[in-house]
């Protein structure tokens, strides 16, 4: 009869450890995702600021027409950076979900069989 409280305590400790690990994985993923998105935003905003600086310096109509291809290239580069960041975020989320799946499967892993010599 004393084995039941010990089992409950053991299961509670295992559950708390698994929940703690799951929370840590989720927070690490959120931190990584935020970092990736922040880097992409920083690169895009600095490129746009540089372009707007050039645009404000342009005086003649010919200068403005010369900046149009640069603006289109800036938009294309920004979209490529965003797509790359999204792919990286997807990869990070996939790794995190795999780690969470492994964490969930852990209690259900095959436990070693008890000694074969003991039969009832």
């Amino acid at each position: 009869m004393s084995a039941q409280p010990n089992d409950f305590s053991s299961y509670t400790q295992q559950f708390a450890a698994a929940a703690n690990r799951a929370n840590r994985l989720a927070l690490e993923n959120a931190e990584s995702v935020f970092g990736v998105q922040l880097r992409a935003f920083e690169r895009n905003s600095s490129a746009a600021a540089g372009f707007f600086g050039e645009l404000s310096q342009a005086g003649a109509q010919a200068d403005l027409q010369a900046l149009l291809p640069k603006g289109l290239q800036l938009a294309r580069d920004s979209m490529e950076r965003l797509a790359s960041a999204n792919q990286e975020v997807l990869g990070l989320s996939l790794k995190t979900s795999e780690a969470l799946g492994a964490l969930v499967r852990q209690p259900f892993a095959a436990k070693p069989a008890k000694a074969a010599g003991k039969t009832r």
Side-chain angles (χ1 to χ4, degrees):
M1 189 127 164
S2 66
Q4 289 178 351
N6 289 339
D7 288 344
F8 181 74
S9 175
S10 173
Y11 292 138
T12 305
Q13 288 175 350
Q14 289 176 358
F15 177 75
N20 186 25
R21 179 70 179 139
N23 284 336
R24 188 171 41 235
L25 284 169
L27 286 174
E28 288 171 359
N29 182 51
E31 181 182 352
S32 298
V33 165
F34 183 73
V36 166
Q37 291 176 339
L38 186 62
R39 280 193 309 272
F41 177 75
E42 180 183 8
R43 289 178 186 144
N44 286 344
S45 61
S46 62
F51 175 73
F52 287 133
E54 286 183 41
L55 189 61
S56 67
Q57 297 292 326
Q61 183 71 15
D63 289 342
L64 292 176
Q65 288 178 350
L67 286 175
L68 182 62
K70 286 184 181 180
L72 293 175
Q73 185 63 37
L74 171 72
R76 180 180 176 188
D77 291 345
S78 293
M79 292 304 289
E80 286 176 357
R81 280 189 289 270
L82 285 174
S84 174
N86 285 337
Q87 286 178 345
E88 191 173 347
V89 163
L90 185 64
L92 289 170
S93 298
L94 184 61
K95 286 180 184 178
T96 300
S97 66
E98 288 172 355
L100 287 172
L103 186 65
V104 168
R105 285 188 302 269
Q106 218 172 24
F108 301 110
K111 298 194 185 228
K114 294 187 177 185
K118 292 184 179 181
T119 56
R120 212 170 191 200

